[in-house]
Each structure stands twice: as structure tokens, then as C-alpha cells.
Amino acid sequence: MGLKFTKMHGLGNDYLYVLGNPDRAKERYGLDAAELSIRLSDRHFGVGSDGMIWIAPADDADCLMRIFNADGSEAMMCGNGVRCVGKYLYDKGLVDRLQVRVKTRSGMKGLELSPGPDGMVERVAVRMGRATVDDERVVEALGAEVRLVPVDVGNPHAVVFVEDALAAPVASLGAALERHAAFPDGVNVEFVEVTGDNELRMRVWERGSGITMACGTGSCASAAAAVRAGLADGGRPVRVVLDGGELLIEVASDGEVVMTGPAATVCEGEVEL
């Protein structure tokens, strides 16, 4: 049976979006949601993506968002993904409002949609909830001591401040920290350079997906950690520059975070299984 999908991305962080209940994937497609994500995310033998996002019905929200990484693991939250979910709902006529509510495994997210001249959503502001920034800790990885700041944004992050984000060992150190004993459930790892007044350059190793072009929750974690360390001013939006583009992150005094950035549709498709 063919599976219909919409490929979308937020700053190059791309997923395959499917309208349906992932818990019924096995009976409908012969593979469960994790198996589908592993197979279809492959960039050589599949469609190619950082994972799959299912948009399912919810009684208390406009939809329920379920995220499966490229390795089949299920994620709690995806900042770039939730912006695309808002665009999906509006562009396909599933909602007719510019304010929507999306339920995720890390709680309810409120979205403010901004359509472009063609009537399709171009940018989305997301109320991400509260970022909890822990004290800096030192762990040993790859034979060296690494200073990092744990941050919870509904999913776990480890923010590593560096002098040069482009030269940071994202692949090697990111992979080592992802499954470090200090993080038994795994962690997303951000390598962050302060590049200007309220501006950060960030590169990311995402739990379950590896290096990606952008990470919305990682940008929120990085901005919150920078504000906590006095490296950025929480009274103004923090500009976070990623491999795939830019996000604006607002960090309130109580830790509440608002993320604003683009969402784009790549194509519609159907794959035979």
C-alpha cells in the first residue's frame, strides 16, 4: 500500500509529514512507525529525511504531533518540526485560524502563524514553554574534559560553548556525548559560539539523527544557556545562526521561551511499501 507524505523543512531540518495515527501504521502499511522512519529517512535507499512526523487527531488540541527520528527512536519534541506542523494544518485547510495548539510528548505548544503574500504560511512563532538551565558540569569524553550546560526544553540538551563553532568536533564529540553515561536517556548536543551582540552561531548533533542543518529546541536551549551565563541579553531576541539559516529566540525572565522562524514545503509524494 502506498504511503502519502509531505516533505517539509525548517531551516533544512527536514521530515516526512504523514496525516494519521502512528499506532496504526503496522496494520495499514505492514511496518510500524519506527520501521517506516528508518526505511524512508535513508537518503540513498529511501526518500531522505531527518525522520518522520505524524499528525494525528487530538481531543484537546488542533492535532497531536508524534516524532520519529531517522534511527526509529521517538522524540519528545522538535522545534523546527512543530513550525512545519502549523504550516501543514493551515495550508491544507485543516484549520482556518492563525493561532493553533499542537500537543506533543513534551506538552502543549501554542503557535502563531504568519502567511505570506500567496496565503501560505511562511513563518511561525512557537511558545515553547520553560527552559530549565542547570549548572555547568564537566564530563570526560574522548579522553578530555568537556564543560557543558544541561538544559531541558521539553527534551534534553547539552550546550557546549566553543571559540569556533565551525571548527568544533560536532560528529565525534556530539556522538560521544549523545550516549554518555551522564545522560542515560541520550541528549542533543549544541556547539555554540558567541559571535556578536545577542548573536550565537550554533551547530548541532541531534539525538537519534546525528548532524542536522538546524535544531529549534537546541536553539532555545543555547539562547537560554547564554542568557543564564550573561553572554546574551534576555530582554531582547537572541539571533541564533545555524547551518540552515536563522532563528529568533526570546527568553523571558521566568525562563519561558518563544521561537520564531520559517517553515517550508519541499514536495508531496507517495511511496510504495
Side-chain angles (χ1 to χ4, degrees), residues 181-243:
F183 305 101
D185 296 322
V187 72
N188 302 285
V189 186
E190 287 76 38
F191 297 84
V192 182
E193 174 190 356
V194 178
T195 53
D197 181 26
N198 260 37
E199 179 178 290
L200 307 175
R201 177 67 170 98
M202 188 266 275
R203 299 183 67 209
V204 62
W205 176 275
E206 289 200 53
R207 179 179 60 170
S209 293
I211 295 175
T212 62
M213 296 288 288
C215 179
T217 56
S219 296
C220 295
S222 298
V227 169
R228 165 78 177 269
L231 302 174
D233 178 7
R236 295 178 289 135
V238 179
R239 179 172 172 253
V240 181
V241 180
L242 307 110
D243 288 354

Side-chain angles (χ1 to χ4, degrees), residues 133-139 146-150 159-161 228-229 231:
V133 183
D134 290 341
D135 293 335
E136 182 183 71
R137 70 172 68 169
V138 178
V139 302
V146 180
R147 294 185 176 275
L148 55 83
V149 180
V159 177
V160 181
F161 287 103
R228 165 78 177 269
L231 302 174

Side-chain angles (χ1 to χ4, degrees), residues 42 51 59 75 105 118 126 139-140 161 216 228 234 240 243 254:
D42 191 290
D59 292 334
R105 288 186 64 202
D118 61 356
V126 185
V139 302
E140 185 174 329
F161 287 103
R228 165 78 177 269
V240 181
D243 288 354
D254 62 357

Side-chain angles (χ1 to χ4, degrees), residues 3-9 13-19 33 36-43 46-55 66-68 81 84-85 88 266-271 273:
L3 182 148
K4 294 182 179 179
F5 66 87
T6 301
K7 184 168 182 176
M8 307 178 77
H9 77 88
N13 191 193
D14 59 340
Y15 288 87
L16 307 181
Y17 292 76
V18 177
L19 189 64
L36 283 169
S37 190
I38 293 170
R39 178 169 169 177
L40 299 183
S41 297
D42 191 290
R43 296 189 184 275
V47 178
S49 66
D50 291 324
M52 294 183 70
I53 290 179
W54 293 71
I55 300 171
R66 296 273 301 277
I67 310 143
F68 293 84
C84 290
V85 168
Y88 185 106
V266 178
C267 65
E268 306 277 355
E270 181 172 352
V271 60
L273 297 169

